[in-house]
Amino acid sequence: MKNKMFTLRDFIDIPGKNIYESADCFQKFIDQMDARKAYAFDITSTSAIGARMNIIDRYGGEVIKTTSFVTNNYLGMNKHPKVLKAAQKAIEKYGIGTCAAPPIGGYINIHSELEQKLAKLHGKEDAILYTSGYAANIGVYQLLLNKSDIAIVDMYVHASVYDGLGKTNIKIFKHNDMEYLGSVLKVVEGKYRNIAVIVDGVYSQDGDLPKLVETCDLAKKYGAFVFIDDAHGVGVFGKGGKGTADHFGVEDKIDLITGTFSKSMGTSGGYAAGAKQLIKYMRHYSRSNTFSASVSPPIVAAASKAIDLFTQEPHIIKTLWDNTRYLKKQLTKRGFDIGKSESPITPVMVRDDMKTMLIARKLLEKGIYVIPAIYPAVRLRDSRFRVNVTASHTKEDLDYFCEALSDVDKEFNFTVS
Ligand SMILES: Cc1ncc(COP(=O)(O)O)c(C=O)c1O
């Protein structure tokens, strides 16, 4: 064990160790990374989170000015003057918080207006707000799927979907494998009260899309419902940023869309959109909505303004896509493996946890801030950087990033061609 290189997998549910002992053991992982100046998490920023960030160096204490690719703030909405103004006006009118759950007094007219806006955005009858995308998935799945039901989920759906499925039966299918999905649906047909197929609109580590048309066709054939978590699709895909279901032309075939304000809308909070009776049911029984204080007024106003902006000003999404295409082209030209990404989420594959952490450090020293995606976020042999392009990056930012990456590749050798 003396020279063992630890991974995060080594510290989960340690046999014979109580909670304090387990936590103490985990320190070994941090020590191992600190010894190489490579611990890349829990980094503190002294500026807004965006394309340019000032971060405090864990190993010297000084502030490093960086070009950053860590945020899902795809459209730069967290600093858009009109979004900030809307939030400020909401604070003046409604105060900073509601301090009450929606069904017991914490529901104001702008909550309802935002819900209607989201329903319209997704072509659904109604929508319900949650305090995060995570809470939305927990709230939806804990309520709707129980012991007599089964969830058939793509293996790469977000952790919050898995965490919401604790009360039901689960069958996981290989990523985007429609043949396998079909065979599972065939086996479970007629054996459960509800059969739900669950996919992400954009897969958050690989940046690829689901096979949504085929998924919907198969679900219909076998009498299953379709649920989609479109956290990364809204404001990015579809006409006017309506999301992945619109992109594939299958909005009417999706039973429930969950989403977040923490990506293209630049703030925080989440929602689910679907049929009127489902949403009404959720308002009373979806515990992360019913038993949690409602989304604060400035956040509601900010999300609402962000939607107005990206639906009405097409140049915002166009800039994101211009940058996305440019970066992918440059990285591919330089021989980096960017997987199957079809979205602004651009993985740069390294396939070795320690190497990924060491490269992140080297890049930081060059003024580039990227976060390594290592186990458990991805499988052990799939470690990579998850590079998020935004509309706020300039061509110079993207060129500088590519040059820095090529420079570091001379030492670490992770290009594939
Ligand atoms: C696919 C997906 N769903 C849900 C969430 C959770 O969203 P939030 O940050 O609003 O809790 C995330 C966030 O990382 C995500 O990537």
Side-chain angles (χ1 to χ4, degrees):
M1 286 293 273
K2 205 167 155 221
N3 294 320
K4 177 178 162 58
M5 291 299 287
F6 295 106
T7 72
L8 286 172
R9 186 149 75 177
D10 296 314
F11 306 99
I12 297 171
D13 197 11
I14 307 173
K17 304 272 186 209
N18 71 24
I19 53 172
Y20 290 101
E21 289 161 352
S22 296
D24 287 342
C25 276
F26 171 62
Q27 185 60 38
K28 287 186 204 158
F29 178 78
I30 298 177
D31 290 347
Q32 168 189 278
M33 293 301 165
D34 277 343
R36 293 162 177 81
K37 279 193 165 181
Y39 188 73
F41 305 106
D42 311 329
I43 287 178
T44 305
S45 170
T46 60
S47 61
I49 311 291
R52 239 149 262 102
M53 290 173 65
N54 300 335
I55 64 170
I56 300 173
D57 184 9
R58 179 182 177 88
Y59 301 109
E62 77 276 17
V63 172
I64 306 178
K65 284 187 185 316
T66 68
T67 301
S68 149
F69 296 89
V70 300
T71 176
N72 297 121
N73 179 23
Y74 297 119
L75 304 175
M77 291 295 178
N78 75 328
K79 293 275 278 180
H80 193 295
K82 288 185 181 165
V83 172
L84 301 187
K85 188 140 197 210
Q88 279 154 3
K89 272 173 80 176
I91 290 177
E92 279 157 27
K93 183 159 181 193
Y94 300 99
I96 194 80
T98 63
C99 310
I104 52 165
Y107 195 69
I108 51 182
N109 57 341
I110 55 172
H111 286 126
S112 166
E113 284 158 21
L114 178 56
E115 287 171 346
Q116 290 320 303
K117 197 173 280 187
L118 288 161
K120 193 163 164 232
L121 184 76
H122 289 299
K124 297 290 169 203
E125 289 175 348
D126 204 355
I128 179 172
L129 301 183
Y130 291 84
T131 47
S132 69
Y134 187 93
N137 281 334
I138 298 286
V140 164
Y141 295 119
Q142 280 188 352
L143 170 65
L144 299 182
L145 300 175
N146 286 286
K147 276 209 296 274
S148 324
D149 310 316
I150 187 162
I152 306 174
V153 297
D154 186 286
M155 65 191 278
Y156 288 158
V157 294
H158 189 256
S160 53
V161 172
Y162 283 109
D163 291 356
L165 294 174
K167 293 200 287 180
T168 194
N169 302 289
I170 308 185
K171 182 77 192 166
I172 296 167
F173 68 95
K174 194 164 156 242
H175 181 50
N176 271 344
D177 186 337
M178 293 297 105
E179 209 177 308
Y180 188 45
L181 174 61
S183 65
V184 173
L185 281 165
K186 199 168 176 181
V187 170
V188 302
E189 188 185 17
K191 298 200 173 81
Y192 293 89
R193 180 181 55 180
N194 295 296
I195 301 170
V197 179
I198 308 175
V199 295
D200 277 3
V202 178
Y203 287 93
S204 58
Q205 294 299 343
D206 290 302
D208 61 338
L209 305 186
K211 294 190 173 160
L212 210 46
V213 174
E214 296 88 329
T215 300
C216 291
D217 287 348
L218 281 169
K220 186 161 183 232
K221 182 171 170 192
Y222 293 104
F225 301 118
V226 181
F227 295 77
I228 174 172
D229 173 353
D230 206 18
H232 297 274
V234 176
V236 176
F237 285 95
K239 196 158 171 285
K242 281 164 164 275
T244 313
D246 179 81
H247 172 76
F248 284 109
V250 293
E251 262 184 343
D252 56 333
K253 295 183 177 144
I254 309 280
D255 292 282
L256 210 68
I257 298 176
T258 55
T260 176
F261 305 142
S262 72
K263 318 288 181 205
S264 60
M265 295 177 215
T267 176
S268 61
Y271 64 92
K276 221 178 190 70
Q277 71 267 41
L278 268 187
I279 301 297
K280 189 183 275 182
Y281 186 47
M282 283 153 61
R283 285 191 200 287
H284 290 271
Y285 293 106
S286 181
R287 296 171 74 86
S288 53
N289 172 278
T290 315
F291 294 108
S292 188
S294 58
V295 183
S296 79
I299 295 212
V300 174
S304 184
K305 181 54 77 178
I307 296 171
D308 292 347
L309 286 166
F310 72 65
T311 51
Q312 291 162 20
E313 298 185 21
H315 67 93
I316 301 176
I317 297 179
K318 183 180 177 302
T319 307
L320 170 69
W321 277 104
D322 287 348
N323 282 350
T324 300
R325 290 192 190 102
Y326 183 77
L327 183 71
K328 285 188 198 306
K329 199 168 159 195
Q330 297 306 315
L331 288 172
T332 309
K333 220 160 77 183
R334 287 168 184 262
F336 293 103
D337 174 5
I338 61 165
K340 295 190 180 119
S341 169
E342 299 164 79
S343 71
I345 300 170
T346 308
V348 175
M349 303 305 294
V350 180
R351 301 186 190 282
D352 176 308
D353 275 14
M354 179 56 85
K355 213 163 148 178
T356 311
M357 306 276 274
L358 290 169
I359 295 169
R361 175 69 201 174
K362 288 279 174 192
L363 289 171
L364 187 59
E365 285 166 5
K366 291 175 182 293
I368 300 283
Y369 181 23
V370 283
I371 286 284
I374 60 171
Y375 182 87
V378 296
R379 290 183 299 186
L380 278 179
R381 64 175 186 283
D382 283 346
S383 33
R384 83 280 302 266
F385 298 108
R386 183 165 165 268
V387 179
N388 294 325
V389 191
T390 71
S392 315
H393 287 107
T394 61
K395 284 259 160 24
E396 290 71 37
D397 291 335
L398 304 178
D399 285 338
Y400 180 63
F401 171 64
C402 291
E403 270 159 38
L405 212 55
S406 287
D407 226 26
V408 174
D409 179 55
K410 287 180 196 139
E411 185 180 344
F412 290 94
N413 227 334
F414 56 106
T415 41
V416 289
S417 60

